[in-house]
């Protein structure tokens, strides 16, 4: 909750918050990272627009109102999410937790790899299979390797992939009851895949789809 309040305070006082993100319209659009991220938003927005067309507008408005309440700070009215198009509010949320956050984690992981300081660079083998969130294996006795393991497991976790749960965007499964939305998950995945194919040709892929989660930290 404190992180939410601090984030809201920054956006509230800096006048930087918009849905879609304000930086879409700023001069830094030519930066490779920004150029890549911006291309995903129309795909996410189109998906949300289709879904919300089959949802109760009052329910959507109530959800947005409650999110705004959670983000309210003591000396301000919050982010005033109701002032934006509901499609852009939901699309911005999904865009953030899927595209932006996945990309940031993916690039951060590459830093670990380049620095040779992470789970992929342990100097000694260990017998236990590792999953995100598990404790350091007892047979990992080398002090430096234990630090490397903790560094990766506690600071950076890319996926919650297990035999029972996959957090990859390619594995997403919605359970919409409306007939028109039964293939919404497959359509979204396919749309992102097609976009990435075109981005590969343009050299704009900053985070490959296989490393993109359906949600990070939410």
């Amino acid at each position: 909750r404190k992180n939410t309040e601090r984030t809201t305070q920054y956006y509230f006082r800096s006048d930087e918050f918009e849905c879609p993100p304000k930086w879409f319209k700023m001069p830094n659009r030519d930066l490779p990272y920004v150029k890549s991220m911006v291309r995903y938003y129309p795909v996410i927005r189109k998906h949300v627009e289709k879904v919300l067309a089959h949802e109760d507008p009052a329910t959507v408005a109530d959800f947005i109102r409650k999110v705004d309440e959670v983000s309210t700070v003591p000396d301000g009215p919050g982010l005033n999410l109701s002032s934006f198009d509901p499609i852009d509010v939901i699309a911005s949320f999904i865009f953030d937790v899927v595209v932006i956050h996945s990309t940031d984690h993916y690039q951060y992981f590459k830093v670990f790899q380049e620095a040779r300081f992470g789970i992929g660079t342990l100097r000694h083998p260990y017998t236990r299979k590792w999953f995100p969130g598990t404790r350091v294996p007892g047979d990992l006795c080398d002090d430096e390797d234990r630090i490397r393991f903790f560094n990766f497991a506690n600071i950076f976790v890319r996926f919650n992939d297990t035999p029972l749960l996959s957090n990859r965007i390619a594995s997403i499964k919605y359970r919409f009851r409306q007939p028109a939305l039964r293939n919404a998950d497959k359509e979204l995945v396919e749309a992102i895949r097609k976009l990435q194919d075109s981005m590969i040709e343009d050299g704009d892929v900053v985070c490959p789809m296989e490393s993109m989660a359906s949600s990070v930290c939410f």
Side-chain angles (χ1 to χ4, degrees):
R1 177 63 189 269
K2 291 297 181 182
N3 286 339
T4 301
E5 289 183 359
R6 285 193 289 269
T7 301
T8 303
Q9 284 177 327
Y10 166 77
Y11 282 118
F12 175 65
R13 292 170 178 163
S14 64
D15 193 34
E16 288 292 322
F17 185 83
E18 284 186 5
C19 295
K22 196 170 187 177
W23 50 267
F24 278 14
K25 300 177 289 186
M26 291 184 176
N28 60 4
R29 280 191 58 134
D30 291 334
L31 293 174
Y33 175 88
V34 177
K35 184 180 177 182
S36 175
M37 296 299 96
V38 168
R39 294 183 66 174
Y40 289 96
Y41 189 78
V43 172
I44 302 296
R45 193 184 193 282
K46 183 178 180 180
H47 165 71
V48 172
E49 185 176 21
K50 178 177 180 178
V51 171
L52 293 193
H54 298 274
E55 294 290 343
D56 175 35
T59 301
V60 175
D62 187 54
F63 169 76
I64 292 175
R65 179 183 60 79
K66 289 180 178 179
V67 172
D68 215 12
E69 288 178 358
V70 171
S71 65
T72 300
V73 294
D75 58 346
L79 298 175
N80 196 20
L81 294 175
S82 298
S83 65
F84 304 107
D85 187 325
I87 296 173
D88 283 313
V89 174
I90 306 299
S92 296
F93 186 87
I94 296 175
F95 174 74
D96 186 19
V97 301
V98 174
V99 180
I100 295 293
H101 219 150
S102 290
T103 301
D104 290 348
H105 277 227
Y106 174 74
Q107 290 294 329
Y108 192 46
F109 178 61
K110 289 179 69 175
V111 172
F112 273 124
Q113 290 180 313
E114 292 295 327
R116 298 193 57 76
F117 200 77
I119 192 70
T121 61
L122 297 183
R123 302 180 303 169
H124 305 282
Y126 59 95
T127 58
R128 181 170 149 189
K129 190 171 183 179
W130 178 82
F131 286 114
T134 55
R135 296 185 178 184
V136 174
D139 57 343
L140 189 58
C141 299
D142 181 80
D143 289 340
E144 183 174 337
D145 274 358
R146 292 178 70 84
I147 293 173
R148 292 184 180 194
F149 187 100
F150 267 126
N151 191 36
F152 184 89
N154 293 348
I155 297 176
F156 185 88
V157 175
R158 289 171 62 194
F159 298 111
N160 292 319
D161 269 16
T162 72
L164 298 178
L165 171 67
S166 175
N167 195 34
R168 298 176 189 271
I169 188 64
S171 304
I172 195 168
K173 289 182 175 61
Y174 293 132
R175 287 177 173 79
F176 293 118
R177 296 178 180 178
Q178 302 92 326
L181 299 178
R182 285 177 181 167
N183 293 320
D185 45 10
K186 297 182 180 65
E187 292 170 357
L188 175 61
V189 170
E190 183 59 26
I192 295 176
R193 199 182 304 280
K194 284 184 177 180
L195 174 64
Q196 284 227 332
D197 287 344
S198 66
M199 291 172 71
I200 290 173
E201 296 179 4
D202 300 335
D204 284 345
V205 175
V206 181
C207 177
M209 188 170 179
E210 61 267 20
S211 295
M212 194 171 287
S214 60
S215 178
V216 179
C217 297
F218 289 90

